Amino acid sequence: RSFYIYATAAEKDSTIAIAQNGGNYVTKTANAAAYNLDAGLNVFDIRVTTEYGDVSHYYLNVYRQSTSPKIVVSSQKLSIDGGNATAIAAYNIDGNNFLKLRDVAYLLNGTTKSFSVSYSQNTNLISLQSGGRYTAVGNELEIPGSYDKYTVSPQAIRLDSGYIYPAAYNIDGSNYFLLRDLAALFDFAIGYSSGTVTINTGASYSY
């Protein structure tokens, strides 16, 4: 449950401070910093300050999957760029929303943050292409009523030219991904309003 961060500034006179989950910044020493991970999403803000006072922030999302996660069907809907709120297949797991990858791709199709999804049964690989057009398979936006079984998903995923490792669960045969990971990967802003998750494709993801 411990997590170590090795962070080194490119300029020797710069200083590094790290905050976990909105807590106080702690100046990093020459040694690796150790952190205890909370169950669910942990956000690390790595602040670099140059000798001239210029500040840059780097963010790291680390999701700790608990041994007995609390999983409930999410009643939240999803709205894209101010459009109508649409019911989606989603679960709230330890306080974080997990959505079907194909549902998100289906609703983002035609926007500036659209992406294609393909799957190879031979290699068990999901391939995503930024800017690609999504091709529906017919089971998008099917709403679950409950679930029978879950596993931590070992699904291999390739985005553009590299592999990615978002937090994911396989629930009753379908992969559900952490919404915040998808927002960070495809760089769209997310918010919450009256039981609706909002996506703004014209704004960047904010940690």
Side-chain angles (χ1 to χ4, degrees):
R1 298 180 180 181
S2 293
F3 182 78
Y4 292 84
I5 295 180
Y6 296 81
T8 303
E11 299 176 353
K12 65 177 182 179
D13 292 324
S14 296
T15 58
I16 296 175
I18 301 175
Q20 179 182 4
N21 295 332
N24 294 327
Y25 286 99
V26 177
T27 301
K28 180 188 171 298
T29 64
N31 299 320
Y35 298 89
N36 292 321
L37 297 177
D38 299 332
L41 182 64
N42 295 263
V43 179
F44 293 91
D45 178 358
I46 303 171
R47 185 185 68 191
V48 181
T49 305
T50 70
E51 62 176 315
Y52 306 106
D54 298 323
V55 178
S56 298
H57 291 265
Y58 303 87
Y59 297 92
L60 181 64
N61 283 353
V62 181
Y63 189 87
R64 177 189 155 200
Q65 292 166 317
S66 60
T67 55
S68 299
K70 181 181 179 181
I71 304 176
V72 295
V73 175
S74 176
S75 60
Q76 289 183 326
K77 296 182 178 181
L78 184 63
S79 172
I80 309 294
D81 293 335
N84 293 333
T86 302
I88 52 175
Y91 287 96
N92 186 288
I93 304 177
D94 289 335
N96 297 116
N97 284 313
F98 284 73
L99 279 60
K100 276 187 179 180
L101 181 65
R102 285 190 174 275
D103 284 359
V104 177
Y106 179 82
L107 292 172
L108 287 176
N109 206 25
T111 72
T112 58
K113 297 302 170 67
S114 66
F115 60 94
S116 63
V117 180
S118 61
Y119 173 71
S120 171
Q121 196 166 23
N122 292 333
T123 60
N124 188 32
L125 177 68
I126 292 176
S127 296
L128 311 177
Q129 184 66 45
S130 299
R133 182 173 179 80
Y134 176 71
T135 301
V137 296
N139 64 349
E140 290 82 6
L141 305 182
E142 291 182 354
I143 311 301
S146 60
Y147 77 94
D148 292 323
K149 61 180 180 180
Y150 76 90
T151 59
V152 174
S153 178
Q155 180 65 59
I157 305 173
R158 187 176 179 87
L159 171 60
D160 300 332
S161 60
Y163 288 92
I164 59 174
Y165 305 93
Y169 286 87
N170 187 289
I171 301 176
D172 294 336
S174 296
N175 286 310
Y176 289 78
F177 295 87
L178 180 64
L179 175 59
R180 286 194 170 273
D181 278 357
L182 297 179
L185 288 168
F186 293 103
D187 193 29
F188 54 76
I190 57 175
Y192 302 92
S193 176
S194 302
T196 296
V197 178
T198 60
I199 288 180
N200 182 356
T201 61
S204 294
Y205 175 65
S206 174
Y207 289 84

